[in-house]
């Protein structure tokens, strides 16, 4: 997987100098935007495209591919597979680039190429909208700035060294004008991305800024931290519907007190019992959470006249369908999972025949199913894959006439796998999640087994940075019920204080 560092900031903050140094130190590719515009211009020159005919330029854009590589520490630019580095600095190419870079399509093409480079290489990019537009999912986003005074002084010194005539007050005024224009332009105005770390280089040396950015890369947030697809979808549905009216969820939509409290502030309330449900007036909106419910509960809600919104995860829905169809065709249903878990209860409720739940060899031994009869084995989505395979093997050995449907969702497995890998590679690990979340506890156990300095925190308030004074790298992960804002708050604070 590639690693992306986005550095944005106002003119004169030293972005390109810093970006090049960071790239060199980390052995990443510094994406030289200027060289890319020139490579595009070279294509137009070589193919005799009339650069004043914007339509012709637009059309030609689709045939351009650019790659940047480093060979013996020197940047090489490839245009459609050919090394064109030596041809980029000519007057003709420069003049062409200055005309064509103003075209919207050319800029769009450049963004497309930059994203492509960022996907396949470890990159450092600098500009004014890298973190907010080009690489919105960059691993590290930095907003590099310096006071107008500091930037003016730097420029002033530079010009004096070149023996150029200059005036400090004029330089300051120019910088202020430029900042204003950049921050107020219509397309991609300069602004700090919400998840960017502010680095003010006014009183820092180039070395210090470079080291600061490199240190930011030592804090690694797992990509799979937080809500899985199904939970995110259900929570989004709840917030969306709460905007219009008061709505209710059947059981907490997620095992996280912070989210449940926030949902209440947004008109979304939890119903925990059928008695509580009876107190809700007809016509009210009831949301079914991602675990899903049985057909009976579905029907009961509709018969009582509620407006039912089904936020069952599509992966769980698929199991309901399998169970319904297979049981209709006469198969006995076996669910490998934890009896009593709401998801398993829901799955059971879509079967039309005998249904059994097993989670161990002993529970399989206790089954009394006619071995001639067809059984259909499905799994609870969050069941351990290895254990599922072992239990299926037992059914096979016992000679059951079984059809096996692996319905395990790999979101949990992927999260655990990634957390384990990162925990192995860092000096300290932070696991974020509610005390009541079993998958967060499991994540904590996995990380702790790989990294002794692993802490379990619920929110940023529990963060104890004194634990990391001796650490050179920190990993962060979060359980499936931890909301994005809590993860981001912890991530930002760790990076600022580390
Ligand atoms: Fe999540 Fe749905 Fe998988 S709720 S864990 S994406 S089954």
């Amino acid at each position: 997987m590639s690693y992306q560092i986005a550095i944005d900031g106002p003119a004169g903050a030293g972005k390109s100098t810093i970006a090049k140094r960071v790239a060199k130190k980390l052995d990443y590719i510094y994406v030289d935007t200027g060289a890319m515009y020139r490579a595009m211009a070279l294509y137009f020159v070589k193919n005799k495209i009339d650069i004043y005919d914007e339509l012709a330029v637009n059309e030609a854009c689709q045939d351009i591919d650019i790659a940047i590589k480093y060979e013996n520490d020197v940047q090489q630019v490839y245009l459609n597979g050919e090394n064109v580095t030596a041809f980029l600095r000519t007057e003709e190419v420069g003049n062409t680039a200055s005309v064509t870079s103003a075209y919207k399509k050319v800029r769009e093409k450049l963004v497309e190429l930059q994203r492509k480079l960022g996907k396949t290489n470890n990159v450092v990019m600098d500009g004014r909208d890298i973190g907010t537009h080009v690489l919105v999912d960059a691993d590290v986003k930095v907003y590099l700035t310096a006071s107008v005074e500091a930037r003016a002084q730097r420029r002033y010194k530079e010009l004096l060294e070149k023996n150029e005539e200059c005036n400090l007050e004029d330089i300051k005024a120019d910088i202020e004008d430029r900042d204003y224009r950049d921050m107020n332009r219509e397309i991609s105005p300069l602004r700090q991305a919400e998840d960017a770390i502010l680095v003010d280089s006014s009183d820092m040396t180039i070395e210090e800024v470079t080291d600061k950015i490199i240190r930011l890369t030592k804090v690694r947030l797992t990509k799979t931290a937080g809500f899985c697809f199904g939970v995110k979808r259900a929570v989004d549905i709840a917030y969306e519907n709460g905007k219009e009216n008061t709505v209710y969820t059947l059981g907490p939509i997620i095992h996280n007190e912070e989210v449940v409290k926030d949902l209440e502030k947004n008109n979304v309330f939890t119903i925990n019992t059928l008695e509580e449900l009876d107190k809700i007036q007809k016509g009210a909106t009831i949301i079914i959470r991602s675990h899903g419910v049985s057909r009976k509960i579905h029907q009961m809600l509709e018969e009582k006249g509620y407006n039912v919104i089904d936020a069952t995860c599509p992966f769980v829905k698929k199991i309901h369908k399998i169970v319904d169809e297979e049981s209709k065709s006469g198969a006995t249903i076996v669910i490998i999972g934890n009896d009593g878990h709401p998801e398993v209860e829901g799955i059971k409720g879509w079967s039309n025949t005998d249904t059994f739940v097993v989670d161990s060899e002993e529970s399989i031994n206790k089954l009394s199913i006619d071995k001639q009869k067809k059984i259909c084995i499905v799994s609870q989505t969050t069941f351990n894959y290895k254990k599922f395979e072992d239990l299926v093997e037992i059914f096979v050995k016992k000679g059951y006439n079984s059809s096996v449907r692996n319905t395990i969702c790999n979101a949990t497995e992927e999260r655990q796998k990634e957390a384990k890998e990162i925990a192995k590679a860092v000096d300290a690990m932070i696991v974020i999640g509610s005390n009541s979340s079993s998958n967060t506890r499991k994540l904590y156990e996995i990380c702790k087994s790989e990294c002794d300095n692993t802490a379990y925190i619920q929110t940023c308030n529990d963060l104890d940075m004194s634990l990391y004074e001796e650490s050179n790298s920190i990993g962060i992960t979060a359980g499936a019920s931890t909301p994005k804002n809590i993860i981001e708050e912890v991530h930002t604070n760790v990076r600022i204080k580390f």
Side-chain angles (χ1 to χ4, degrees), residues 228-231 290 313 315-316 381-382 409 411-412:
C228 62
F229 152 77
V231 168
S290 58
C313 174
F315 299 133
V316 177
T381 54
T382 48
C409 165
T412 309

Side-chain angles (χ1 to χ4, degrees), residues 303-436:
E303 279 159 14
K304 283 184 186 266
Y306 296 119
N307 169 33
V308 181
I309 295 182
D310 190 355
T312 306
C313 174
F315 299 133
V316 177
K317 268 260 185 255
K318 192 176 136 201
I319 309 178
H320 294 174
K321 194 163 175 271
I322 294 172
V323 166
D324 182 31
E325 288 171 1
E326 289 279 348
S327 59
K328 270 184 188 148
S329 76
T332 298
I333 303 295
V334 174
I335 306 165
I336 296 185
N338 302 112
D339 209 2
H341 186 283
E343 180 193 317
V344 173
E345 291 306 300
I347 296 171
K348 270 191 212 169
W350 287 85
S351 172
N352 306 288
T353 52
D354 294 341
T355 303
F356 301 91
V357 182
V358 295
D359 63 354
S360 62
E361 186 165 1
E362 297 82 73
S363 53
I364 297 178
N365 290 338
K366 283 186 199 151
L367 290 176
S368 55
I369 306 174
D370 178 357
K371 296 221 173 112
Q372 301 308 312
K373 260 191 102 183
K374 186 182 163 203
I375 65 168
C376 171
I377 302 175
V378 293
S379 171
Q380 181 182 339
T381 54
T382 48
F383 205 77
N384 178 288
Y385 182 66
K386 171 85 182 64
K387 210 167 159 193
F388 173 78
E389 276 192 324
D390 291 347
L391 296 181
V392 167
E393 186 65 29
I394 295 171
F395 277 102
V396 173
K397 280 196 183 135
K398 282 182 177 285
Y400 280 100
N401 172 17
S402 51
S403 102
V404 181
R405 311 289 287 265
N406 175 1
T407 49
I408 293 175
C409 165
N410 54 13
T412 309
E413 204 193 333
E414 276 172 12
R415 184 181 299 105
Q416 293 179 353
K417 219 167 116 193
E418 196 193 3
K420 192 179 168 93
E421 266 166 32
I422 295 216
K424 225 185 253 178
V426 293
D427 297 336
M429 194 74 198
I430 298 169
V431 182
I432 320 163
S434 162
N435 267 336
S436 59

